[in-house]
Amino acid sequence: MASTFKPEQARVPPALQLPSPPITKFKIGLCQLSVTADKERNIVHARAAIEEAAEKGAKLVVLPEIWNSPYSNDSFPIYAEDIDAGPDASPSTAMLSEAARLLKITIVGGSIPERSGDKLYNTCCIFDTDGKLKAKHRKIHLFDIDIPGKITFKESQTLTAGETPTVVDTEVGRIGIGICYDIRFQELAMLYAARGAHLICYPGAFNMTTGPLHWELLQRARAVDNQLYVATCAPARDAGGGYVAWGHSTLIGPFGEVLATTEHDEAIIISEIDYSQIDLRRTNLPLEKQRRGDLYQLVDVQRSSSQ
Ligand SMILES: NC(=O)CCC(=O)C(=O)O
């Protein structure tokens, strides 16, 4: 059947020029944390890891998906915090805000279960060096999978999906945010690249079935297709826990290269990001110029509707 796509219908402007970040070279810290059923302990533990990463020079620290609570539908309602109701209602994000301010670092605060009215979300908060909440990303694609005999999980039993992609300007560049299962949806990463992101951070907790096959593959694909940095941060594995996480927090460069990674135990990865590598790789392989926008297009709903 003939295609109905007409080039003149293509309304997406070409990808933005990469914005100039305040710093182009810095250390990132990925805190692969053990998570227990004791929320207070998890908060104290996460704080100590953030402090250690900052002491080792990290200007950006990333935490895992659901780091203050066990990863289970039974736990989400119990551990959820009302982030918008202020520090007393959200001790986890209060800690992140204070740590970011005192250490003068940017924090991509993994995710926690968020309560908002009668809904629950899987939410990542991003804090600036002054401790202010810059953005909140609510997981857009809920983890609902069924691999019989291996793993069945339905986040949608308790959680509601977020409705907004999140790109945030920070002192360490323009960062796109996805949470775990969000990494499977390439259009989201393409959208972030088109909006000028230097780095996409995915707090995540892949599982023991898909993790070995897909986790690194997806990260490298998102990085090499979009010629930007990808950072992931997972919880450490608890082999006796209800949900057994794959671990393997990783930093990928814009050529698809694994710059730093780890196994499944607790770890703090410190690695260097150098945004000049993005320009270099985009010059080596000028994919954006070669893209056939006359034949196919990613439509950025937000940007086209505001034109
Ligand atoms: N927490 C998650 O979204 C897990 C995603 C996952 O394991 C996958 O295979 O996808």
Side-chain angles (χ1 to χ4, degrees):
M1 208 164 91
S3 162
T4 54
F5 176 80
K6 294 198 193 105
E8 63 272 22
Q9 290 173 339
R11 290 177 298 152
V12 181
L16 291 175
Q17 283 291 312
L18 262 191
S20 297
I23 52 174
T24 55
K25 222 177 183 184
F26 61 94
K27 285 189 181 152
I28 184 170
L30 309 175
C31 299
Q32 181 163 296
L33 301 172
S34 66
V35 176
T36 69
D38 179 345
K39 193 206 256 194
E40 265 179 49
R41 175 269 177 206
N42 293 337
I43 295 174
V44 170
H45 191 64
R47 185 180 188 128
I50 293 168
E51 285 169 355
E52 188 180 328
E55 263 164 40
K56 290 181 172 158
K59 293 284 172 228
L60 167 64
V61 173
V62 186
L63 297 191
E65 181 182 28
I66 306 290
W67 58 268
N68 71 349
S69 150
Y71 184 79
S72 77
N73 277 311
D74 289 344
S75 302
F76 298 150
I78 299 167
Y79 289 73
E81 300 180 6
D82 187 341
I83 296 168
D84 296 336
D88 291 345
S90 183
S92 302
T93 58
M95 180 280 284
L96 296 178
S97 163
E98 192 177 276
R101 180 172 56 80
L102 294 177
L103 300 167
K104 298 191 176 37
I105 57 170
T106 303
I107 297 182
V108 172
S111 76
I112 63 167
E114 178 195 8
R115 184 179 300 285
S116 178
D118 58 359
K119 295 200 168 121
L120 296 176
Y121 299 93
N122 185 339
T123 301
C124 175
C125 293
I126 299 91
F127 291 93
D128 220 342
T129 52
D130 58 3
K132 293 221 171 80
L133 178 64
K134 287 278 302 193
K136 241 178 26 174
H137 177 79
R138 291 171 169 165
K139 189 174 188 173
I140 294 176
H141 306 93
L142 294 182
F143 177 48
D144 282 5
I145 69 165
D146 183 18
I147 306 177
K150 296 287 188 187
I151 175 167
T152 299
F153 202 100
K154 296 227 176 313
E155 279 190 327
S156 61
Q157 275 174 9
T158 54
L159 303 178
T160 300
E163 294 297 330
T164 323
T166 305
V167 183
V168 57
D169 279 319
T170 72
E171 298 210 354
V172 285
R174 186 168 289 179
I175 304 178
I177 306 289
I179 301 176
C180 204
Y181 203 59
D182 283 338
I183 200 173
R184 289 190 177 274
F185 299 88
Q186 60 199 10
E187 296 88 343
L188 184 64
M190 289 169 68
L191 184 72
Y192 289 162
R195 290 187 188 173
H198 301 96
L199 163 69
I200 307 180
C201 289
Y202 294 100
F206 261 49
N207 64 84
M208 298 296 288
T209 301
T210 60
L213 268 177
H214 297 166
W215 180 231
E216 185 182 303
L217 176 71
L218 287 164
Q219 297 175 60
R220 296 185 67 197
R222 299 297 84 93
V224 78
D225 281 352
N226 296 295
Q227 300 180 300
L228 42 62
Y229 282 86
V230 165
T232 62
C233 188
R237 187 176 308 162
D238 173 5
Y243 180 90
V244 183
W246 173 239
H248 292 79
S249 305
T250 300
L251 177 68
I252 311 281
F255 207 41
E257 69 278 37
V258 176
L259 293 171
T261 191
T262 188
E263 293 286 329
H264 56 264
D265 291 332
E266 269 211 308
I268 297 177
I269 297 175
I270 306 289
S271 190
E272 190 164 77
I273 286 186
D274 176 357
Y275 289 145
S276 70
Q277 289 298 307
I278 300 180
D279 294 325
L280 175 70
R281 295 316 180 185
R282 290 183 183 184
T283 305
N284 298 158
L285 294 169
L287 303 182
E288 194 45 49
K289 291 194 191 108
Q290 296 161 341
R291 210 174 288 288
R292 292 294 305 271
D294 54 332
L295 301 182
Y296 48 77
Q297 285 277 333
L298 173 73
V299 177
D300 182 339
V301 180
Q302 184 179 312
R303 289 175 73 200
S304 0
S305 63
S306 61
Q307 278 165 14

